[in-house]
Amino acid sequence: MATAAVVYRSASGTTRQLAEEIGEHLRTQGIDATVRSVGEADPAALAAADLVLLGCWTSGLFVVAQHPDEPWLAFVRELPSLARSRVGLFTTYKLVTGSMFPKMRAALDTRAPHVDLELKSRGGHLTDAGRQALDRFAGLAPASA
C-alpha cells in the first residue's frame, strides 16, 4: 500500500481543513495517509513516505510579498532528502497566492529535487479539480485526465 504524509501549518484552521480533506481523499483511494501539523510531524519520518504533501497558509500583504510563515520554514529546514518521494505543495489564501509557491519551492532547496503538485484553496476545501490533480499526482489517474 502506498503511503502519504500530509503536513501543514495553519493560522486560522483553513489550511488544516484542506490538509484533512487531502488526507481523507487519499485514504478513500486506498493510500495510507497521515495528516499532521508541523508541530506534530517528525521531519525524518517523511523520507519514508511515497507521497509528501507540505502545506502552509499564505502570509503576506494581501496581494504582494506572499510567503510561508516561520514555523513552516523551520520545519522544512529539518527535512531530510525527499528524493525518493513525490512531493506536492498546497496553500490557502484570501486574495491571491502570488509568490507563495516559488518561495515554498525555494525553501525546500535541494531536499526535494522535484515538486510535482501545487494545490491552492481559497476556502480550505478540496475542489473537484483539486481531487483530479491529487489523483494524477498519486498515480491514480492518467496524466491527461
Side-chain angles (χ1 to χ4, degrees):
M1 174 182 285
T3 60
V6 182
V7 181
Y8 67 90
R9 166 73 179 139
S10 187
S12 66
T14 305
T15 309
R16 181 187 71 237
Q17 175 67 36
L18 180 58
E20 290 172 353
E21 289 188 20
I22 289 169
E24 181 58 30
H25 179 74
L26 292 172
R27 285 189 289 273
T28 65
Q29 301 300 312
I31 295 172
D32 181 16
T34 60
V35 178
R36 303 271 187 274
S37 73
V38 296
E40 301 169 327
D42 175 10
L46 271 59
D50 299 308
L51 307 172
V52 175
L53 293 109
L54 302 168
C56 186
W57 63 286
T58 299
S59 180
L61 303 171
F62 294 104
V63 295
V64 296
Q66 292 83 7
H67 61 278
D69 70 359
E70 183 52 39
W72 188 87
L73 291 169
F75 178 82
V76 167
R77 284 191 291 269
E78 297 298 318
L79 288 173
S81 171
L82 300 175
R84 78 166 281 289
S85 305
R86 296 203 69 200
V87 177
L89 300 174
F90 63 96
T91 191
T92 57
Y93 64 101
K94 296 278 187 219
L95 295 175
V96 295
T97 59
S99 56
M100 186 66 172
F101 287 124
K103 288 185 179 171
M104 291 172 86
R105 283 193 310 272
L108 284 168
D109 191 29
T110 60
R111 292 169 192 85
H114 302 286
V115 172
D116 300 309
L117 175 71
E118 293 178 351
L119 283 178
K120 60 184 177 180
S121 172
R122 192 173 202 166
H125 297 288
L126 188 60
T127 64
D128 287 340
R131 284 181 189 83
Q132 292 170 1
L134 197 53
D135 288 349
R136 286 190 301 274
F137 168 73
L140 303 170
S144 61

